Every structure is written in C-alpha cells, then in structure tokens.
C-alpha cells in the first residue's frame, strides 16, 4: 500500500483513460446520497487517515490536480521575503459542537504541531478571522505545508485523537469510533463546501486485517471499497474495478463508486480525502 506514497499525480487525460478502461465513470456528475463503506488493513493507520480528513479541515488543501487552494483560509498573502504570512479565515465555519471557528483555534492548532521546515517565531491573531505568522526563514511553500494532515485545525487546538471525541469543522461528524476497529460519521446538514464536496450521507470504515476477508466483503456487497495489495481474489468479478490497475493494485471498488476526473496519489487513497471527493453513482440504502 505504501507505493501510493511515491506516485506523482495523474494528468487529467491519464486518469480519464485509466478509469474508462476499468469501468469507473469519470464524466458523470457527482450525486448526493448513499453510504460509503470502506474496508482497510490495520497497518499504516489507514482508517485514521481517512477518518481525520472526513472530520477535520486544514487552512489549505491540495486538490486532486495538485494545486494548493484555500480550505479554512479564504485567502493569504506574504511579505516579499516569504517570512511573514497573513491568513484571512472563512467566516461561515462552525465546529461540530456548534461553535464558530476563530483565529485563536487556528493559532492553538498550529502551535500543537510544529512545521517540518523551519520554526515559527510568532503567531498573532490580528482579528477573530485574521491570523499572522512569522517564520525564522523564508518559505514560499508554506501554503503547501499547511495542507498536511499534521496541521488540521481543532477546537482550542486539542489533539486530533481519540476520534470518538473529535470536534472538527469537516464535512462529516463522528457518530461512533473505536481506534483501529471501526468508524462512522454522518454528513453535516450545512457546510461551507456544500455543492462542491461531501456527497455521501455517511461514511463507514471497518478495519479487517486479512486481505482475503476484505476481498470477500467487497465481493459479497458488505463494503464498497477495499484496500488490497493484489487483485487475485476478485479478478473474475466484473462489477469491480482496480486502482491504479489490475497489475498494480492499491484498492478495489464497486463499479457504482464515482471518482474525480483526477486522482491524487500523493498518499493512500486520494490523499485520504475520498470521503469528501468520491460519490455513489447508484444509491444504496442508508444504514
């Protein structure tokens, strides 16, 4: 599964050709509804990666096309030497607990997890929705660094785990979670990404250590997506497609699952953001 960490982003044409060949639709408009059910291994904290991106947001995000864009940050500017950065935060963001996001939450969250490159000399909340950050050295790549899951924003900067106590600003609110076992989150009724992401009514993740059992769960319709190291258990299934290919498999999915035109492969399963970026082409009964 770690080979996905070393892949570059697919180009739009390559992704379209690949998914057309596997039977997945890349031209269909995303549809709202359905429950995404995902089977993952215990190793590598795959459940945690996908779950945290469903529940939390960061200041920025890297889209499937590899371009950095604002998430909780509506916009940002930097000084000429890229040492002092100012972030304008969205004003329509709520934590799942019902409290509004403020720059104080962002400040506490960034202090919780130091940057991987350089040090932060200071963070100032110039306003309830304006944050200023000074680095010890120029870093024009800061917006990309802040898109890492290490820097998700939490209420008062508290730790991201345990998941059953998560209070994020993401598209999905935790209903139940047990570390390295299972996870379920349901779509927020209203969210600033409405109309652009978050197509599922709910997302369920179950940890199944044995790869053959994960394959059986997908084959028998108990899950929609299964992380698999090889296609052998499902090669004869016509209703399943393999990604990136049947010769180099990272996961298998039911053909009803819809994927974006471009699939980021900088990390496992589209950078872990499949809960908000994928959709169910054919609705299944909610559970």
């Amino acid at each position: 599964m770690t080979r996905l960490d070393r892949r570059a982003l697919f180009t739009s044409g390559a992704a379209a050709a690949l998914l057309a060949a596997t039977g997945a639709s890349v031209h269909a408009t995303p549809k709202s509804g359905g429950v995404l059910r995902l089977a993952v291994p215990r190793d590598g904290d795959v459940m945690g990666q996908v779950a945290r991106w469903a529940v939390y947001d960061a200041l920025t995000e890297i889209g499937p096309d590899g371009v950095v864009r604002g998430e909780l940050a509506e916009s940002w500017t930097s000084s000429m030497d890229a040492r002092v950065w100012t972030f304008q935060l969205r004003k329509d963001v709520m934590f799942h607990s019902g409290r509004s996001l403020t720059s104080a939450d962002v400040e506490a969250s960034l202090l919780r997890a130091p940057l991987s490159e350089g040090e932060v000399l200071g963070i100032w909340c110039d306003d309830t929705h304006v944050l200023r950050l000074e680095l010890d050295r120029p870093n024009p790549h800061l917006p990309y660094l802040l898109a890492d899951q290490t820097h998700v924003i939490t209420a008062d900067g508290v730790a991201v785990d345990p998941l059953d106590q998560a209070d994020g600003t993401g598209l999905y609110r935790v209903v139940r979670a047990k570390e390295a076992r299972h996870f379920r989150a349901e779509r927020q009724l209203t969210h600033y990404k409405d109309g652009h992401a978050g197509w599922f009514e709910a997302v369920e993740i179950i940890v199944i250590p044995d790869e053959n059992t994960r394959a059986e769960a997908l084959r028998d319709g108990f899950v929609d997506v299964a992380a698999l190291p090889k296609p052998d258990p499902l090669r004869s299934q016509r209703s399943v497609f393999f990604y990136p290919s049947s010769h180099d498999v990272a996961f298998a999915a039911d053909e009803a699952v819809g994927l974006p035109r471009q699939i980021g492969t900088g990390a496992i399963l589209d950078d872990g953001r499949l809960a908000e970026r994928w959709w169910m082409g054919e609705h299944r009964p909610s559970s």
Side-chain angles (χ1 to χ4, degrees), residues 228-244:
L228 295 173
K230 56 183 182 294
D232 295 353
L234 295 169
R235 194 180 292 279
S236 62
Q237 295 295 114
R238 295 186 177 181
S239 61
V240 171
F241 69 89
F242 303 102
Y243 177 82

Side-chain angles (χ1 to χ4, degrees), residues 101-286:
L101 170 76
T102 69
S103 55
D105 297 304
V106 178
E107 176 187 15
S109 298
L110 295 181
L111 291 174
R112 180 193 70 231
L115 293 176
S116 59
E117 297 181 20
E119 296 183 4
V120 176
L121 295 181
I123 301 178
W124 297 270
C125 299
D126 293 346
D127 186 86
T128 54
H129 291 90
V130 179
L131 188 86
R132 187 160 45 94
L133 186 152
E134 183 180 357
L135 306 175
D136 68 339
R137 71 192 72 168
N139 192 337
H141 307 295
L142 182 64
Y144 279 93
L145 296 177
L146 293 178
D148 188 86
Q149 192 172 98
T150 306
H151 304 298
V152 294
I153 306 305
T154 64
D156 297 319
V158 300
V160 296
D161 294 317
L163 279 169
D164 61 352
Q165 299 176 25
D167 185 16
T169 60
L171 284 152
Y172 294 89
R173 174 182 52 82
V174 178
V175 175
R176 60 177 180 268
K178 189 168 184 179
E179 185 177 0
R181 295 287 298 276
H182 59 78
F183 169 86
R184 180 182 171 94
E186 296 180 353
R187 177 68 154 84
Q188 288 287 89
L189 293 179
T190 59
H191 194 271
Y192 70 91
K193 288 187 179 181
D194 286 345
H196 302 284
W199 311 108
F200 299 110
E201 295 174 358
V203 175
E204 294 183 352
I205 309 171
I206 181 171
V207 173
I208 304 178
D210 181 68
E211 62 191 59
N212 291 314
T213 305
R214 293 197 299 274
E216 290 177 10
L218 176 60
R219 182 192 63 203
D220 296 340
F222 292 109
V223 298
D224 307 296
V225 180
L228 295 173
K230 56 183 182 294
D232 295 353
L234 295 169
R235 194 180 292 279
S236 62
Q237 295 295 114
R238 295 186 177 181
S239 61
V240 171
F241 69 89
F242 303 102
Y243 177 82
S245 75
S246 61
H247 303 292
D248 185 21
V249 179
F251 67 83
D254 186 279
E255 63 181 1
V257 176
L259 285 71
R261 290 175 180 268
Q262 292 181 298
I263 312 298
T265 55
I268 191 169
L269 298 180
D270 196 21
D271 299 323
R273 287 181 176 268
L274 69 166
E276 69 172 73
R277 292 179 179 171
W278 297 7
W279 64 91
M280 194 66 69
E282 299 175 6
H283 291 181
R284 298 179 181 278
S286 300

Side-chain angles (χ1 to χ4, degrees), residues 41-52:
R42 179 169 288 122
D43 296 340
D45 189 33
V46 181
M47 188 191 87
Q49 292 179 46
V50 177
R52 284 188 287 270

